[in-house]
Amino acid sequence: MTCSAIICDWNGTLYKDIDEEAIVKAIIVDLAKSYIPSHPCKFVHLLKIKKELETLRRKRNQGLENGRLVEILQSDSEKIIKGVPMSSVRRLVEKYSNRRDVQAKVVLKALRPVAECHRSGTTTGILSAGYSYGIQMILKSAGYLDCFDFYKANILTETGDKAVGFTLSIYKNKAELLLNILKDRNLDPQKTAYLGDAMEDVGCFEVVGHPIVSFLTPEVLKQKFAQEYRAFIPEDESDLARYLKNI
């Protein structure tokens, strides 16, 4: 095997949700419960944000540009958690990550071949516009946390153990960040595989030697990525595993 690294997107690639709406809504519900009856104003505020998220979902279904959607979702997330103790945020994220329905969204047929390559010595990592701690906790619950050498994703900043807000520096800069990661780790881009599912991954497809589309990628995009970026389209888990072992 000549491939030196396998880098994966998260949402829509290793995890079925295409954004972080579900985890944000779960945190809203749990926080709202904790605010009854001692903080009625905060409870009303969270209900308002929940309605905003429902509006956001409708806009997404109507074709809202994904980058703009990420910005709106992150803004609403900050309204929810700003000032909340980090210990509470971590507890809520861990509770969410252990839910059966959440674990059912992990794309094991993509994750297992990557994990096998990692066990064979290939460097593996995740590059995502999602929430880093949430990604890691979901993978920890699934038993795959140690199958990646690094996680490059948005983080939640804090001051005095209180949440402040999310960084928002990934989705517009994925290709540049990928190249920096490979340079820092002395990895050859032409010997690197990248798994992605969306137009936001095009820059990464362009800079690696082995672009791969996820199982969840819409068919029209699969064909586009294959034609324009020579991306490999795996038919099933065995097909992906064979490709990763032979590149």
Side-chain angles (χ1 to χ4, degrees):
M1 180 177 181
T2 59
C3 181
S4 58
I6 302 171
I7 314 301
C8 303
D9 179 42
W10 174 248
N11 293 106
T13 299
L14 297 181
Y15 192 67
K16 292 180 180 179
D17 285 351
I18 62 173
D19 56 41
E20 302 289 71
E21 179 188 358
I23 189 170
V24 172
K25 289 181 73 173
I27 290 175
I28 287 176
V29 170
D30 280 346
L31 283 177
K33 290 178 180 178
S34 71
Y35 290 154
I36 300 174
S38 56
H39 299 285
C41 291
K42 289 184 178 180
F43 174 73
V44 172
H45 179 61
L46 288 179
L47 290 182
K48 180 180 178 181
I49 295 177
K50 186 172 182 292
K51 285 188 176 182
E52 290 177 359
L53 286 175
E54 292 168 352
T55 300
L56 176 62
R57 170 176 286 186
R58 289 195 294 271
K59 288 182 178 180
R60 180 179 65 193
N61 293 339
Q62 294 168 4
L64 179 66
E65 192 269 326
N66 195 53
R68 177 60 181 149
L69 185 149
V70 170
E71 291 176 347
I72 296 172
L73 186 57
Q74 295 287 24
S75 175
D76 280 343
S77 302
E78 291 179 10
K79 294 176 186 176
I80 298 164
I81 63 171
K82 187 174 183 179
V84 176
M86 286 297 297
S87 57
S88 296
V89 174
R90 287 189 285 266
R91 176 179 55 81
L92 293 176
V93 171
E94 290 162 12
K95 175 184 176 183
Y96 173 81
S97 300
N98 286 317
R99 282 171 28 180
R100 184 176 298 179
D101 62 318
V102 172
Q103 286 298 306
K105 296 178 183 179
V106 176
V107 185
L108 293 174
K109 63 181 180 179
L111 186 55
R112 284 188 291 248
V114 175
E116 181 60 32
C117 290
H118 180 266
R119 285 191 286 270
S120 298
T122 302
T123 296
T124 56
I126 287 180
L127 175 59
S128 170
Y131 176 35
S132 183
Y133 188 69
I135 293 170
Q136 292 179 61
M137 289 302 98
I138 290 172
L139 285 174
K140 180 180 179 180
S141 184
Y144 287 89
L145 178 63
D146 296 332
C147 292
F148 294 93
D149 296 295
F150 66 86
Y151 295 85
K152 183 67 174 180
N154 288 322
I155 62 173
L156 180 59
T157 58
E158 59 184 280
T159 299
D161 197 39
K162 295 291 181 68
V164 175
F166 288 98
T167 60
L168 190 59
S169 59
I170 303 293
Y171 79 93
K172 289 183 178 180
N173 306 293
K174 290 187 82 172
E176 180 181 354
L177 289 169
L178 175 58
L179 286 174
N180 288 339
I181 289 169
L182 297 178
K183 181 179 179 181
D184 290 343
R185 291 176 173 269
N186 295 314
L187 297 168
D188 185 351
Q190 290 306 306
K191 294 182 179 180
T192 296
Y194 179 87
L195 280 76
D197 72 299
M199 291 302 297
E200 288 76 19
D201 297 306
V202 163
C204 295
F205 287 156
E206 290 178 326
V207 302
V208 300
H210 306 285
I212 305 171
V213 295
S214 81
F215 292 112
L216 304 178
T217 304
E219 189 61 34
V220 63
L221 285 182
K222 284 184 178 180
Q223 299 307 318
K224 176 182 176 64
F225 295 155
Q227 293 172 11
E228 297 184 13
Y229 306 104
R230 304 169 290 99
F232 174 68
I233 305 175
E235 294 182 0
D236 52 30
E237 181 175 343
S238 296
D239 196 28
L240 176 60
R242 281 193 298 271
Y243 182 80
L244 291 176
K245 288 180 180 178
N246 293 323
I247 56 177

